[in-house]
Amino acid sequence: MLKGIVVKAYNSYYYLQSGNKIITCHLRGRFKKGRFSLIVGDEVTYTLTGPEKGIIEDILPRRSMLKRPMVANVDQVVLTFAAVNPDINPALIDRFLVIAEYSELDIIICINKIDLANIDTIASLVERYVQVGYRMFTVAAKTGIGIAKLQEYLHDKISVFAGPSGAGKSTILNAVQPGLELTTGEVSHKIGRGKHTTRFAELLPLNGGGFVVDTPGFSFTDFSEMEEAHLMDYFPEIAQIAPTCKFNTCIHYKEPQCAVKQAVAEGLIHTERYQSYLDILTEIKASKRGF
Ligand SMILES: Nc1nc2c(ncn2[C@@H]2O[C@H](COP(=O)(O)OP(=O)(O)O)[C@@H](O)[C@H]2O)c(=O)[nH]1
Ligand SMILES: [Mg+2]
Ligand SMILES: [Zn+2]
């Protein structure tokens, strides 16, 4: 049985990467009855009906599924931020981190445009997140600094690039994989031109193996689906200390004898990380009152 991976879905066509070929496929009829949907990233078996045409016979079990954008079998997300222009904003990094942790993704943080940055500011920021346990990369897509190292971590994986618009995601991908020629520098996300690539996720193959997914970027983060009591799970350093709080229902807000607040006071947890936690907690509380 031939195997492939869905790199692009458009109308009722699925484009499979199989070896170094792209096979244009339809779905076998029986799939269309259920509420079955095949998405980019799915691994499938197929039979050939022509030189580079085929029919998808079966879908292999999904290892993971990302909702926005819809991509199956994502191995990691590369959260990308600009050091400057727009200026780096740790509170925004924390918001993206919470979304990624909630989605149970492996996370890489990538700080771009370090050619424009104050080294000391960036170093202390890198230190903050390394302390928490995140993998940090500092790059300048424009000059190529740090790109080779980032490339190593993308090898043989499906990596989704996410982060605010203007951070340089598309520029990084163009540097990582020459020939991609993704559009960069777009301020707004126009739908007209290039709608295939902006509206639908597409797996972009890397020469050495693996795929990357570019996303248009979003500045809006929504926490209303989350539970107050679970927010701490999306802050690894808070989750680690939480079991030593006096009350096992402690959400590290106004409770007495809270080990997390103690750790913040002692400098073991960064004050701004805790502040991000409180800010998001407040948003979750407010969204629950809205019902
Ligand atoms: N100085 C500098 N500018 C960059 C760098 N990377 C991207 N840019 C610029 O930042 C702008 C936004 O880049 P783009 O890749 O479109 O960001 P995206 O919205 O995250 O995909 C463009 O004008 C890029 O030329 C970098 O490393 N250094
Ligand atoms: Mg872009
Ligand atoms: Zn506590």
Side-chain angles (χ1 to χ4, degrees), residues 112-113 115-116 140-142 164-171 183-186:
N112 185 33
K113 309 195 193 183
D115 55 313
L116 305 175
K142 263 210 173 146
S165 178
K169 298 177 293 296
S170 303
T171 310
T183 311
T184 63
E186 299 271 288

Side-chain angles (χ1 to χ4, degrees), residues 3-288:
K3 268 193 198 176
I5 179 162
V6 180
V7 294
K8 187 169 154 184
Y10 188 65
N11 289 335
S12 53
Y13 287 103
Y14 296 91
Y15 299 86
L16 305 185
Q17 168 112 12
S18 182
N20 49 18
K21 284 205 184 106
I22 296 290
I23 314 289
T24 308
C25 288
H26 276 297
L27 267 180
R28 186 61 87 190
R30 64 190 157 93
F31 284 123
K32 293 173 191 162
K33 291 181 194 124
R35 275 179 304 153
F36 174 86
S37 76
L38 193 61
I39 60 175
V40 160
D42 272 324
E43 292 171 19
V44 299
T45 56
Y46 70 97
T47 46
L48 282 172
T49 56
E52 275 166 13
K53 282 186 186 156
I55 267 200
I56 292 169
E57 301 287 354
D58 231 329
I59 166 177
L60 305 180
R62 273 179 197 155
R63 284 175 276 124
S64 69
M65 157 110 167
L66 186 64
K67 283 194 200 144
R68 270 183 309 178
M70 285 270 261
V71 186
N73 302 321
V74 172
D75 293 299
Q76 58 191 6
V77 61
V78 183
L79 294 180
T80 308
F81 303 90
V84 180
N85 190 21
D87 282 355
I88 198 128
N89 174 357
L92 186 67
I93 296 179
D94 292 338
R95 295 171 78 85
F96 274 94
L97 282 170
V98 166
I99 301 280
E101 292 281 7
Y102 174 71
S103 309
E104 298 184 333
L105 295 166
D106 273 352
I107 299 167
I108 286 177
I109 301 174
C110 184
I111 310 292
N112 185 33
K113 309 195 193 183
I114 56 161
D115 55 313
L116 305 175
N118 174 307
I119 300 302
D120 294 337
T121 313
I122 297 308
S124 74
L125 200 87
V126 166
E127 176 63 17
R128 177 189 312 191
Y129 291 100
V130 165
Q131 288 273 314
V132 179
Y134 290 114
R135 293 175 292 172
M136 296 291 293
F137 288 83
T138 47
V139 306
K142 263 210 173 146
T143 62
I145 299 171
I147 294 298
K149 188 156 170 258
L150 179 62
Q151 260 166 341
E152 286 174 28
Y153 282 78
L154 304 178
H155 181 68
D156 274 349
K157 299 208 158 116
I158 298 183
S159 310
V160 172
F161 279 67
S165 178
K169 298 177 293 296
S170 303
T171 310
I172 290 172
L173 290 177
N174 286 338
V176 161
Q177 181 55 59
L180 281 182
E181 294 177 5
L182 300 168
T183 311
T184 63
E186 299 271 288
V187 179
S188 63
H189 327 129
K190 284 178 234 148
I191 313 174
R193 202 156 47 98
K195 68 179 148 191
H196 303 217
T197 49
T198 53
R199 286 194 45 212
F200 303 98
E202 183 177 347
L203 294 193
L204 308 165
L206 298 173
N207 278 347
F211 297 92
V212 290
V213 179
D214 194 14
T215 61
F218 43 93
S219 48
F220 176 73
T221 43
D222 180 13
F223 304 100
S224 58
E225 283 177 21
M226 293 179 198
E227 298 292 333
E228 284 169 43
H230 289 158
L231 181 61
M232 68 183 90
D233 298 335
Y234 316 134
F235 285 81
E237 74 275 48
I238 294 180
Q240 198 195 346
I241 286 178
T244 53
C245 291
K246 167 89 173 166
F247 300 101
N248 62 11
T249 55
C250 188
I251 57 167
H252 331 301
Y253 181 54
K254 289 182 175 163
E255 297 86 349
Q257 298 184 57
C258 169
V260 170
K261 275 185 280 185
Q262 184 63 32
V264 175
E266 289 170 6
L268 297 172
I269 291 177
H270 200 286
T271 318
E272 287 183 17
R273 287 279 293 165
Y274 179 59
Q275 189 57 49
S276 291
Y277 171 80
L278 290 180
D279 290 346
I280 298 170
L281 191 69
T282 307
E283 282 181 42
I284 297 173
K285 282 178 187 289
S287 74
K288 300 290 184 245

